[in-house]
Structures are given as structure tokens and as C-alpha cells.
């Protein structure tokens, strides 16, 4: 869980090298690489085949299940510490992502509403995943109404 920049980069390389040496010593077989070219199992679709395929999944708000909440989960090993998720969540979302001041590793707080903004701006595919929320979401929408109202 070390970031890949600054003084942590050397530590990270050392830890990974030691792990690989340990793994090689345990297996005692050299790693074999497959040099065959990639051949897709199915034909690759053309643009005209893809247009309109998602229309069947579009529906009204009433068709949504409001009990299935998701939250973001960031893979620290894949994160390149670009800060795009943090900036997007901080500016447009719910300020649900915090950065460690020393390592710059992002963490998700309880404020995450599952809006997918961080997922949509992340340049690394599958670095951020949306997983089912384990705790119930309590929305915090502004100030509570006063009991003794002037109106």
C-alpha cells in the first residue's frame, strides 16, 4: 500500500522485488510467457451494431430500486495519485474523498452517495469500482426545520 512517487517509489520497488524473489524461490520454475497474438473469441462489433443497444435499459425514476445503494471503492494499488476523483468529488459532489497528506492515497468517507462522478473521471480503468453499501445511507440535506417558526 505504498504510493508510486517520491521516496515511497524506492521502498515500493524493493518490497515488490523481494516478494518476486520469494515467489520464484517457492515455485522453483521459471515464469513462462505466452507469445501468441491476441485473438478475440467473438467478432468485434462495428459502431452501427452498438448504436441503440442501451435504449431498452432506459426507464423512469419510478422503476429504480431506492434500496440498492452503492459507494465507491478505490484500488490503492492501481491508483496513480492524479487527484481527479478528489477534485471532482470536492467541486461537484459530496466531498466524500479525502487524500492522505503524506502519501496522497485517496480514501472514501461515509458521505459517499454513489453518484459515479469519481468513476467517470478516473483515467485508470477498474481503479474505482462501485460496491454495495453495507451501512444505511442517512441523507444530510441542509438545516433542520425550526419548531417555533416565525411564519
Amino acid at each position: 500500500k505504498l504510493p508510486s512517487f517520491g521516496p515511497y517509489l524506492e521502498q515500493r520497488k524493493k518490497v515488490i522485488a523481494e516478494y518476486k524473489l520469494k515467489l520464484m524461490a517457492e515455485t522453483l520454475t521459471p515464469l513462462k510467457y505466452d507469445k501468441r497474438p491476441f485473438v478475440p473469441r467473438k467478432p468485434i462489433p462495428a459502431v452501427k451494431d452498438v448504436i441503440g443497444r442501451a435504449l431498452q435499459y432506459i426507464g423512469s425514476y419510478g422503476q429504480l430500486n431506492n434500496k440498492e445503494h452503492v459507494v465507491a471503492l478505490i484500488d490503492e494499488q492501481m491508483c496513480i495519485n492524479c487527484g481527479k476523483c478528489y477534485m471532482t468529488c470536492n467541486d461537484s459532489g459530496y466531498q466524500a474523498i479525502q487524500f492522505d497528506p503524506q502519501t496522497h492515497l485517496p480514501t472514501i468517507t461515509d458521505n459517499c452517495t454513489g453518484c459515479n462522478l469519481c468513476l467517470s473521471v478516473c483515467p485508470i480503468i477498474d481503479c474505482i469500482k462501485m460496491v454495495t453499501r453495507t451501512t444505511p445511507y442517512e441523507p444530510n440535506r441542509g438545516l433542520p426545520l425550526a419548531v417555533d417558526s416565525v411564519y
Side-chain angles (χ1 to χ4, degrees):
K1 294 193 174 189
L2 292 170
S4 50
F5 65 89
Y8 299 105
L9 181 60
E10 293 302 320
Q11 281 181 289
R12 183 183 177 104
K13 285 181 181 178
K14 183 180 176 185
V15 169
I16 290 173
E18 290 173 358
Y19 177 73
K20 286 183 179 179
L21 285 173
K22 179 182 171 191
L23 205 62
M24 292 278 290
E26 288 177 359
T27 58
L28 295 177
T29 57
L31 297 174
K32 295 181 182 177
Y33 297 102
D34 190 9
K35 295 185 180 185
R36 292 180 290 160
F38 173 74
V39 178
R41 294 182 188 159
K42 295 190 247 178
I44 299 173
V47 173
K48 65 179 179 169
D49 299 331
V50 178
I51 292 175
R53 289 179 82 182
L55 292 176
Q56 62 183 339
Y57 302 109
I58 296 175
S60 67
Y61 177 77
Q63 294 172 315
L64 294 174
N65 184 353
N66 287 333
K67 297 185 187 224
E68 291 182 11
H69 289 275
V70 293
V71 292
L73 177 67
I74 300 175
D75 186 351
E76 295 175 353
Q77 297 296 322
M78 295 178 74
C79 182
I80 60 171
N81 308 104
C82 66
K84 289 183 179 184
C85 60
Y86 172 75
M87 289 185 291
T88 303
C89 188
N90 213 16
D91 293 343
S92 306
Y94 294 88
Q95 295 82 34
I97 298 178
Q98 295 179 343
F99 261 55
D100 184 280
Q102 190 174 15
T103 62
H104 293 249
L105 291 174
T107 54
I108 305 294
T109 65
D110 291 337
N111 294 336
C112 182
T113 61
C115 67
N116 287 338
L117 285 173
C118 56
L119 177 68
S120 63
V121 299
C122 183
I124 307 300
I125 297 171
D126 291 337
C127 179
I128 300 177
K129 295 178 183 165
M130 303 308 286
V131 297
T132 305
R133 177 185 282 278
T134 56
T135 59
Y137 176 65
E138 298 291 333
N140 182 12
R141 297 192 175 115
L143 298 172
L145 296 173
V147 178
D148 294 331
S149 179
V150 177
Y151 304 109

